[in-house]
Amino acid sequence: MEEARKETRVLAIDFGASSGRVMLGTYDGNKITAEEIHRFSNDPVIVNGTMYWDVLRLFHEIKQGLIKAKAYGGADSIGVDTWGVDFGLLDEDGYLLENPVHYRDKRTEGILEKGFSLIPREHFYEITGNQFMEINTAFQLLALKEQRPELLDRAACLLLMPDLFNYFLSGVKKSERSIVSTTQMSNPNEPGWVWEVADKFGIPEKILTQVVPTGTLLGPIQEELQEELGIGPIDVIAVAGHDTQCALTAVPSKEDDFIFVSCGTWSLFGTELAEPVLTRQSQELNITNETGTDGKTSFLKNIIGLWLVQESRRQWIREGKEFSFSELEKLAQEAEPFRSFIDPDAPEFAPAGNVPRRIREYCARTGQKVPETEGEIVRCINESLALKYRYALEEIKACTGKEYHAIHMVGGGIKSELLCRFTAHASKIPVIAGPVEATVFGNIAIQLMAKGIVKDLKEARKVIANSEATVTYEPENGGKWDEAYEFYKKEILGK
């Protein structure tokens, strides 16, 4: 027992859609602390009309983090989490065939109907349990099969993004269960691939590697990498490769039944269950079942999140208006409430570009007041997100038959007090915000569980609750949000 109380140090590599960082996690037997030792941008690169991830540059940044960690006394293990669905292809000798293609690339436009012609939609959901999105791995592979079959023919191995980085570090080719559950090719009830999808889509089975549980020790960093960086044999642990599942691990709930929002570029809104929900109702509502830590099911909706604010800010910077996020929030607070709304998941908001113009066009097309100022645009986004969260909450409750007493919001999006307050008001239940660094804390906790230092998920959440303060936002009384929601549901969502 005394041994478990010694200080443990691990490295959490956390990649988001626009940036990444290397965090040093320290556990003293009571609390976890996380310190950023290296941060870098994650910039997609467009070449000949295709949008790629600059994966070699990203691995270079991991190396820089490992070098910097030496100055902090080093670490015993390392874990990598990333966004979902994207992948790299390796040839028979283990060489990367090309940079992984970005999920925002246009190659999957219109591919869903082609997929449903091969596997009927209802059956597809029954065997995979995933929300249907063009960006899902299965549809990316179907597009690749149609557009560039020669590349798929040359492939000997497919590795999803965190598994690819794990391979670069350890030399081991394995597929971690949580990230596999984002592919629309995963068995929702047990670890493994759904071979029917591979067969019907013409995807070679040989490229799909063994699926291993979250928290699997893959082995030490490769010897040549140790020599290159001047470091010792650090263990590589396959943490929950999908950043959402790392974030969910860190939700400091004391109740078994809770709602969470992992809020950042995307909003992942849902609950944690012992088993997947594969009903006709959940299929019609397009709710996904993903696998998280300890084999739990994350029953959730993928909703476009603060990407809308981020991309709007980028547009205004291009126009010479250098707003900070806090300045935009202040402008939004001052703007007129309930002026206009959007569906954040409308297809025109997914690509990069002039989001403010698209929001104005959307509002004009739907007969609403057109938001003109930056504050009006940002208020429109935040109110619309809060109302979309309420709609997702009602869908989750309808499928699970459960009542929920609070929404746990985690991730960088909780820096927006406006969004936290609006979410509480719209949903009519308290919002408990924190931790901001949920993904990192979850990554660290999974490594500690893999080492046997933290017993299980329940204990991990207690440790995280002891490590990070939360802020509670109470819903306001009054019917304005109810009125707004009824309008939103009818006029914007058409429900």
Side-chain angles (χ1 to χ4, degrees):
M1 186 68 183
E2 191 61 31
E3 195 65 22
R5 289 293 177 185
K6 288 184 178 179
E7 185 175 273
T8 305
R9 299 156 69 81
V10 305
L11 288 177
I13 315 297
D14 175 38
F15 286 101
S18 59
S19 67
R21 60 263 179 84
V22 179
M23 305 286 287
L24 179 65
T26 303
Y27 178 57
D28 64 5
N30 184 40
K31 294 182 179 181
I32 295 171
T33 58
E35 182 177 3
E36 182 181 297
I37 62 174
H38 185 53
R39 176 177 283 271
F40 48 92
S41 64
N42 182 6
D43 304 303
V45 180
I46 298 175
V47 180
N48 294 329
T50 297
M51 181 181 287
Y52 297 97
W53 295 106
D54 195 354
V55 68
L56 299 183
R57 163 57 58 178
L58 296 179
F59 187 60
H60 168 76
E61 300 293 357
I62 291 178
K63 289 182 179 182
Q64 299 313 298
L66 284 164
I67 291 170
K68 289 181 179 180
K70 290 191 294 182
Y72 291 81
D76 300 319
S77 63
I78 184 171
V80 180
D81 65 76
T82 77
W83 61 96
V85 306
D86 290 336
F87 58 89
L89 296 172
L90 306 176
D91 67 13
E92 289 185 355
D93 296 316
Y95 292 106
L96 192 63
L97 289 174
E98 69 170 12
N99 272 28
V101 175
H102 196 295
Y103 63 81
R104 292 194 189 277
D105 185 72
K106 296 180 180 180
R107 67 176 174 174
T108 57
E109 288 183 356
I111 200 69
L112 282 181
E113 291 310 313
K114 172 66 176 178
F116 295 147
S117 72
L118 299 171
I119 305 176
R121 183 182 185 118
E122 185 175 331
H123 178 61
F124 209 158
Y125 186 83
E126 287 175 354
I127 60 176
T128 66
N130 281 147
Q131 175 181 357
F132 293 111
M133 302 174 71
E134 288 183 336
I135 65 175
N136 288 352
T137 313
F139 296 109
Q140 290 197 45
L141 286 167
L142 181 59
L144 187 62
K145 179 71 176 177
E146 290 199 335
Q147 299 162 20
R148 299 181 63 195
E150 72 286 350
L151 186 63
L152 208 51
D153 291 341
R154 291 172 57 203
C157 177
L158 175 150
L159 291 175
L160 294 147
M161 293 304 297
D163 301 322
L164 184 62
F165 290 122
N166 287 338
Y167 164 66
F168 289 163
L169 287 166
S170 69
V172 176
K173 302 170 188 171
K174 302 287 186 185
S175 297
E176 184 276 325
R177 191 179 179 189
S178 79
I179 198 70
V180 169
S181 73
T182 72
T183 62
Q184 203 107 46
M185 300 171 62
S186 170
N187 188 323
N189 290 300
E190 59 187 41
W193 301 96
V194 178
W195 301 113
E196 181 182 346
V197 178
D199 178 55
K200 295 288 180 61
F201 279 19
I203 300 163
E205 290 187 8
K206 68 175 183 177
I207 70 174
L208 302 176
T209 64
Q210 178 189 359
V211 179
V212 297
T214 303
T216 295
L217 172 62
L218 299 176
I221 286 178
Q222 297 188 72
E223 288 186 6
E224 65 247 40
L225 197 54
Q226 294 179 38
E227 184 176 346
E228 175 192 345
L229 304 179
I231 59 176
I234 300 172
D235 288 333
V236 180
I237 294 174
V239 300
H242 191 203
D243 52 8
T244 299
Q245 301 310 323
C246 276
L248 178 52
T249 300
V251 171
S253 175
K254 296 178 182 178
E255 296 182 294
D256 291 335
D257 295 328
F258 60 88
I259 292 290
F260 72 93
V261 189
S262 179
C263 185
T265 301
W266 287 84
S267 291
L268 293 306
F269 189 105
T271 190
E272 185 177 78
L273 302 172
E275 297 177 346
V277 178
L278 303 171
T279 62
R280 178 181 293 274
Q281 183 181 36
S282 63
Q283 183 254 316
E284 290 175 350
L285 295 176
N286 207 18
I287 305 177
T288 203
N289 293 269
E290 292 184 11
T291 305
T293 306
D294 276 4
K296 300 276 190 180
T297 292
S298 301
F299 188 59
L300 57 87
K301 293 293 292 271
N302 287 279
I303 300 168
I304 286 184
L306 291 173
W307 155 261
L308 296 166
V309 176
Q310 295 161 356
E311 194 63 13
S312 294
R313 178 173 175 264
R314 278 188 278 270
Q315 176 61 33
W316 292 321
I317 289 173
R318 287 191 287 267
E319 296 171 2
K321 303 171 185 176
E322 296 279 346
F323 291 111
S324 68
F325 287 113
S326 60
E327 288 171 333
L328 289 174
E329 181 136 327
K330 186 174 184 298
L331 291 172
Q333 287 174 333
E334 296 168 351
E336 180 185 347
F338 309 125
R339 178 187 175 95
S340 50
F341 309 104
I342 59 168
D343 179 358
D345 295 313
E348 59 262 45
F349 299 129
N354 195 333
V355 166
R357 182 180 66 197
R358 295 176 201 160
I359 288 174
R360 293 185 183 105
E361 291 171 349
Y362 182 101
C363 292
R365 187 175 69 250
T366 52
Q368 302 179 82
K369 293 180 180 178
V370 176
E372 298 295 344
T373 69
E374 291 81 13
E376 289 170 349
I377 292 284
V378 176
R379 183 153 193 135
C380 170
I381 292 170
N382 278 275
E383 288 181 346
S384 299
L385 280 173
L387 293 168
K388 192 68 182 279
Y389 292 166
R390 175 168 170 177
Y391 187 71
L393 173 62
E394 292 188 353
E395 290 182 325
I396 298 288
K397 288 166 63 176
C399 290
T400 65
K402 296 181 178 182
E403 288 295 324
Y404 302 96
H405 305 113
I407 296 174
H408 285 269
M409 288 185 70
V410 300
I414 68 171
K415 293 178 183 177
S416 170
E417 292 185 15
L418 196 68
L419 182 58
C420 293
R421 285 196 290 106
F422 284 1
T423 301
H425 299 337
S427 300
K428 303 173 71 175
I429 55 176
V431 164
I432 302 170
V436 173
E437 299 290 1
T439 304
V440 170
F441 274 89
N443 184 317
I444 294 167
I446 293 167
Q447 293 186 61
L448 295 174
M449 284 188 281
K451 291 171 170 292
I453 295 168
V454 170
K455 183 175 65 174
D456 54 22
L457 180 58
K458 189 173 184 178
E459 182 177 329
R461 285 179 171 150
K462 286 181 180 177
V463 170
I464 291 167
N466 195 39
S467 304
E468 284 284 288
T470 58
V471 177
T472 299
Y473 296 86
E474 296 289 346
E476 69 178 10
N477 295 321
K480 293 181 180 179
W481 279 95
D482 285 339
E483 291 174 14
Y485 180 64
E486 291 305 316
F487 174 87
Y488 183 81
K489 193 163 61 169
K490 180 180 178 181
E491 301 299 333
I492 305 301
L493 302 182
K495 304 297 182 179

